Amino acid sequence: MIVDQAIYRQGQRLPCGDLSDALEDLRGGDDPHAFLWIGLKNPTDAEFDLVNDELKLHPLAVEDAVKGNQRPKVELYDNTIFVVMKTLRYIEETSDVETGEVMLFVGDRFVVTVRRGEANPLARVRHDLEANSDTLRHGEIAVVYAVMDSIVDNYVSIDAELQKDLEDIEASVFTGANRVSSGTIYRLKREVLEFRRAAVPLAAPLKMLHDGSRSPLPQKEVRLLFRDVADHLLRVIDHVESYDRLLTDILNAHLAQITVQQNSDMRKISAWVAIAAVPTMIAGIYGMNFDNMPELKWHYGYFMVVGVMAAACLALYRAFRKSGWL
């Protein structure tokens, strides 16, 4: 559905009526940075076709937008720029990272933002951009910068949350608290991988936007804005790649601890079985119906047998304790 649409001229928001009339007025006007911004959220095919009929978007870009679930990228189609970015939302209760998607069509005097999922709402981005008339005067490319900056800033926030989760798991594993399971470590590793899939592919498109030799943006000042966003993104990528490696090491260490603990338990079980074998053996012998065993006629025969069993068990216990099996 269309969640918002407006005309922006001289850094100010103006109401928008019919799309065709608004575009014709903008393209015939004397302000080269005036543009129309249409915001869509989870649009149906019919709603998207309505906008497409008015703006005449490139078919390949439209196909990607309709299918969704695209890799982060920036593509140039004639006089249209098509941008795809993954949005992320950190769920505090479960420490999960939920993935969404934002697509932007940037053309002659118009911007269309298509958001799928609940992550990274754009209402706040629009509000902040409307309050910054200097940035808004750069035209439709200012919307691309504002949306990218908001998404990457959200990456930075999620980066901090994942770092806290990783530090908690690391402390639990290496301090011997043993409060964490292999499933918990693997689940965080999976969320880090989800984060990585969103952040890493965006680095190359961002570099293209701020690289003077390849950038489709003529204004140096605008390219510097994208370079600042790229710096933040690269810092996040460095962190998330280190998290992935560290979680692999933590998982291996945790599994090694489990193996050591299992071996220790097996040694203890074996030691107690060996200790119990002595009285079991003697009791088995004396439990048989023998008539010609000398000690049966002794007055203190059974006391001697019990003493021998106790001494043997005590000797075995001390030996296993000294060897560390108990």
Side-chain angles (χ1 to χ4, degrees):
M1 63 177 177
I2 298 179
V3 294
D4 199 357
Q5 63 181 33
I7 295 172
Y8 294 89
R9 182 180 283 118
Q10 298 295 326
Q12 301 298 320
R13 177 185 174 119
L14 301 172
C16 175
D18 182 75
L19 295 181
S20 298
D21 294 341
L23 276 176
E24 184 179 356
D25 179 62
L26 288 170
R27 289 168 178 169
D30 56 357
D31 184 358
H33 299 301
F35 67 95
L36 167 66
W37 182 359
I38 303 171
L40 304 174
K41 179 186 176 185
N42 299 326
T44 63
D45 291 345
E47 291 169 340
F48 195 83
D49 288 342
L50 179 63
V51 174
N52 186 30
D53 290 341
E54 297 291 343
L55 302 180
K56 302 297 186 293
L57 303 175
H58 196 280
L60 292 178
V62 171
E63 181 181 355
D64 287 346
V66 170
K67 288 183 179 179
N69 196 26
Q70 300 294 310
R71 180 181 173 88
K73 59 183 177 180
V74 174
E75 294 185 342
L76 306 179
Y77 295 104
D78 299 329
N79 60 343
T80 303
I81 302 175
F82 178 57
V83 182
V84 179
M85 290 171 286
K86 294 294 185 183
T87 56
L88 301 175
R89 183 174 67 153
Y90 180 81
I91 302 175
E92 185 72 33
E93 295 77 13
T94 60
S95 297
D96 291 338
V97 177
E98 184 181 282
T99 305
E101 195 171 40
V102 167
M103 302 180 183
L104 294 94
F105 296 85
V106 185
D108 183 16
R109 305 302 182 89
F110 70 85
V111 179
V112 179
T113 54
V114 182
R115 182 166 69 96
R116 299 186 184 278
E118 300 302 320
N120 219 116
L122 298 181
R124 179 73 181 183
V125 176
R126 187 186 286 257
H127 180 269
D128 291 345
L129 190 58
E130 290 172 353
N132 188 350
S133 58
D134 291 338
T135 302
L136 199 55
R137 285 193 178 94
H138 289 297
E140 54 268 18
I141 201 63
V143 177
V144 181
Y145 159 71
V147 172
M148 278 191 168
D149 187 51
S150 172
I151 290 175
V152 172
D153 283 347
N154 192 42
Y155 287 177
V156 174
S157 300
I158 295 175
D159 174 27
E161 295 292 342
L162 291 178
Q163 184 178 11
K164 291 178 184 177
D165 293 339
L166 188 146
E167 288 174 350
D168 291 342
I169 288 177
E170 187 179 23
S172 178
V173 169
F174 291 106
T175 59
N178 202 22
R179 298 189 308 268
V180 66
S181 66
S182 301
T184 302
I185 301 173
Y186 179 78
R187 186 163 55 250
L188 181 59
K189 185 174 176 63
R190 186 183 60 189
E191 300 307 321
V192 168
L193 179 60
E194 193 76 17
F195 191 4
R196 186 177 180 180
R197 286 173 179 168
V200 172
L202 187 58
L206 256 177
K207 183 177 180 180
M208 183 192 72
L209 288 176
H210 73 75
D211 188 343
S213 60
R214 297 187 299 156
S215 176
L217 311 177
Q219 305 99 325
K220 181 178 179 180
E221 183 180 353
V222 175
R223 294 200 301 269
L224 290 176
L225 294 175
F226 284 99
R227 189 175 71 180
D228 181 65
V229 177
D231 288 342
H232 294 167
L233 178 64
L234 291 176
R235 191 179 305 119
V236 168
I237 291 174
D238 287 342
H239 290 172
V240 75
E241 289 181 342
S242 67
Y243 298 160
D244 187 42
R245 293 190 298 269
L246 186 56
L247 279 169
T248 298
D249 294 340
I250 291 174
L251 182 59
N252 291 335
H254 180 65
L255 294 176
Q257 287 178 349
I258 292 176
T259 301
V260 170
Q261 184 62 44
Q262 289 175 341
N263 291 339
S264 176
D265 292 341
M266 287 302 299
R267 286 199 303 268
K268 291 179 180 179
I269 293 172
S270 300
W272 284 114
V273 168
I275 293 172
V278 174
T280 302
M281 179 186 67
I282 296 176
I285 293 173
Y286 282 87
M288 298 179 183
N289 296 320
F290 289 131
D291 292 330
N292 299 316
M293 298 183 72
E295 61 271 22
L296 292 176
K297 307 299 182 181
W298 297 353
H299 184 67
Y300 296 104
Y302 284 108
F303 294 102
M304 292 177 64
V305 171
V306 171
V308 170
M309 285 194 300
C313 291
L314 181 60
L316 285 173
Y317 177 78
R318 287 176 175 175
F320 285 131
R321 286 281 293 181
K322 187 176 182 179
S323 65
W325 282 42
L326 289 176

